Each structure stands twice: as structure tokens, then as C-alpha cells.
Amino acid sequence: MTFWITALYLLSANFLLKGYLADSAASNTGARDNKGTEFILTFTENLQRDEHDAKLQAVGTTQTPATVTVEAPAVGFTTTFNVSFGEVKTVDLPRVAVELRGSGVQDKGIHVTASEEITVYGVFTESATSDAFLALPTDVLGTEHFASCSPPSGSFPSQIGVVGTDDGTTVSIVPKQGVTFDGLAYAAGQTITVTLDRLQCLQLQSDGDLTGSHITSDKSVAVFSGNLFVTVGNGRSGSGDHIVEMVPPVDTWGRQFVTVPLKKRTAGDVFRVIAARDNTQVRPC
């Protein structure tokens, strides 16, 4: 039997694109997509080179302008603005307030609300190490996720970030590698259980590849995964980057994926495929 899978596509520029596809027809059929009126997110750790701030980009998707509020409650940060159809508004966020650092529980959740549906992107542009992710609205979030990372290079870890959307959320993580979390050592396969309140976060880091780590919760959570900094492909030499994506929950996964090769790339492309269930059959078309 073939079960739902998600594909992780690693480009030579170290950019991750996960197999979560939301097309324009989704909003017309009631299917979950990437447009929404509420988002909860955070930023996983990037290299601290020039201490550039993280950014959010809000894009208007309706003919009626949307009033958008962005909050980082732990530090009292809030800003409100309007965004029109097709317009992009960028918000600079105080890095110290929103970037997760190390392995542990931290109060660094970000809350975005809008009067009309918008799309939201997180952008983390540090000196020579940058990435961006598509934020998923709260009506898309779920309770089962698998991490997608890259094998670490150098001393920079792979990492997982989780944000609670409700108080008293129990989160369980079964890591694929040994980790240290909140000062305690856990072996690969040993369950880590944490209780998160709304907008409370955890970050889990490992010197090994955390891909395939299983994250479950009793209430919906926002999950992120990737690497603090990594070199991908090409014999793992050359330039590296911070990589991160917001992870779609298992119940949004699909069975067919379309990719486009990079222009002028002759070394081929790298794919990572994660199966949610045993005995999953994966076939190229």
C-alpha cells in the first residue's frame, strides 16, 4: 500500500522546497491553503555574523485591503499596517525577540492577524547565509509532523523549532539523532516530552541529521526544520547557507510532486523523500 509522503528538494544553492503545494483553486473548494487571517511562527537559529534582523513579508490577496497586526508579545513588540491586493509589506523584527538559540524552551513566538486573507513569508538574511520560508496559517496546522533537514557540515547543527498555538500543549519528539535538550541528554529514538503554552517555543539541535524525527502533539503546533548553516551537494564543498522551512502536517501531504531542474546545472539535483508510514512505495514518473 502506498501512503502519503512529502518530498524535500535540495537545490545547489542550499534552498529547501518541501512538497506542500497550495494552488489558487484551493480557496474555491474549501481546501486548506497558504492564505489565512492568523499565523503563528518563529525563526530558527541562523549564524550570528552581522546580527541582521529577521523580517516578515505580508502579501495582500483580496480586493479589500487587509489590516495586519504583527506581535512578539514576549518583548512587547507590535505593529499594525494595511496591505492591498498584490502589495508586499515588510516588517523588521527585533532579532533577539524572535530568533531561537540553542536547545531548549524559549518565549519567542510571533503572532500575525489580518482582517482579510493574506500570505506571509519569513525572511532571515544574515551576511552570506540567508533563507526564507512560506508561513502556513493556523487553519492548516496539525498534530503530526516529520522534520526535514540536511546532514550537518562543520560544527553547525540541524535543528527543529516548534511553537504552541494553545496553552498546555503536550509535544513529543522522537529524534533520529542523539541530542541535548534543556541540559539533558537524549539518545536517538528516546522520546522528549515538553509542555508548551501559546506562543511558547522549543528548539532542538543536533550534530547529526534530524531528518525523519517524529513530532506529535495533542493540539496543533507550528513546526520548522532545517539547519543553522550547511553546505548541500557538490561533494559538500563550496558555499553554505542557513536553511529552514515551515513543515506541513502529515494530513496535508500528497502523492504526486512536480519539480523543475535548475538552469545550467549539470551535476543533477538532490531529492530527499520522507515516508510517514512503513512500506511506502516511491516511484519516479
Side-chain angles (χ1 to χ4, degrees), residues 41 43 51-58 68-72 75-81 88-99 110-112 120-126:
L41 59 146
F43 285 84
E51 295 295 340
H52 293 169
D53 283 338
K55 302 177 187 294
L56 281 185
Q57 293 185 335
V68 182
T69 299
V70 179
E71 301 173 280
V75 294
F77 174 88
T78 184
T79 185
T80 299
F81 55 90
V88 180
K89 288 287 184 72
T90 300
V91 178
D92 290 328
L93 298 168
R95 180 170 182 165
V96 67
V98 299
E99 181 190 23
I110 303 162
H111 188 215
V112 180
V120 173
Y121 299 87
V123 182
F124 210 165
T125 54
E126 182 52 278

Side-chain angles (χ1 to χ4, degrees), residues 10-16 130-131 230-233 239-244:
L10 302 181
L11 304 182
S12 61
N14 310 316
F15 173 80
L16 282 76
S130 305
D131 201 9
V230 70
T231 300
V232 179
S239 299
D241 256 319
H242 172 62
I243 56 175
V244 61

Side-chain angles (χ1 to χ4, degrees), residues 182-244:
D182 270 348
L184 299 177
Y186 295 84
Q190 183 178 359
T191 301
I192 303 167
T193 301
V194 181
T195 299
L196 294 179
D197 287 333
R198 180 173 170 83
L199 299 182
Q200 196 171 35
C201 311
L202 69 81
Q203 181 170 260
L204 185 68
Q205 296 178 318
S206 175
D207 293 335
D209 185 359
L210 286 171
T211 296
S213 297
H214 193 200
I215 303 109
T216 56
S217 55
D218 63 349
K219 301 173 186 176
S220 293
V221 293
V223 177
F224 302 79
S225 65
N227 293 65
L228 190 153
F229 180 87
V230 70
T231 300
V232 179
N234 289 331
R236 298 179 61 77
S237 62
S239 299
D241 256 319
H242 172 62
I243 56 175
V244 61

Side-chain angles (χ1 to χ4, degrees), residues 61-72:
T61 65
T62 60
Q63 294 300 323
T64 302
T67 300
V68 182
T69 299
V70 179
E71 301 173 280

